Amino acid sequence: MTIETGTSGKAKSGVLTRGKGFLKVLAALLLVAAVCAWIALGIGLYLDVERGARITLAIVAAVSTEALFWTVAALLGVSVVEARKRIWRRITGRAA
């Protein structure tokens, strides 16, 4: 315990800090799923599968990649919403 702040020296572990192991495993599984989905899409395009199957393969690849993106963002602790706000402010010329 420090005199200045009245808190102990140990940092409190939040939900994301405790769940880092889970997020790492989830990210690894999603990486495998995304790579397999993109390979399946490539094979489907190469074999010229019918339109419905191509759309399904593309949707699965896109959703698995999006899930991987958000999981990695959570793992890294990236505040995506704040980053988007800064990007839009810079684009629209409203930078503070």
Side-chain angles (χ1 to χ4, degrees), residues 51-86:
R51 184 174 184 243
R54 269 193 314 246
I55 291 173
T56 302
L57 289 170
I59 289 172
V60 169
V63 169
S64 63
T65 304
E66 188 74 13
L68 175 64
F69 171 77
W70 286 105
T71 302
V72 171
L75 182 64
L76 295 176
V78 177
S79 176
V80 178
V81 174
E82 289 299 319
R84 276 182 77 190
K85 283 182 186 178
R86 278 186 270 137

Side-chain angles (χ1 to χ4, degrees), residues 16-50:
L16 285 179
T17 306
R18 285 179 285 181
K20 290 272 187 188
F22 171 73
L23 286 175
K24 287 180 183 178
V25 171
L26 182 62
L29 291 174
L30 286 172
L31 177 66
V32 171
V35 168
C36 289
W38 282 102
I39 289 171
L41 177 62
I43 291 171
L45 291 174
Y46 178 75
L47 295 176
D48 198 28
V49 295
E50 56 187 58

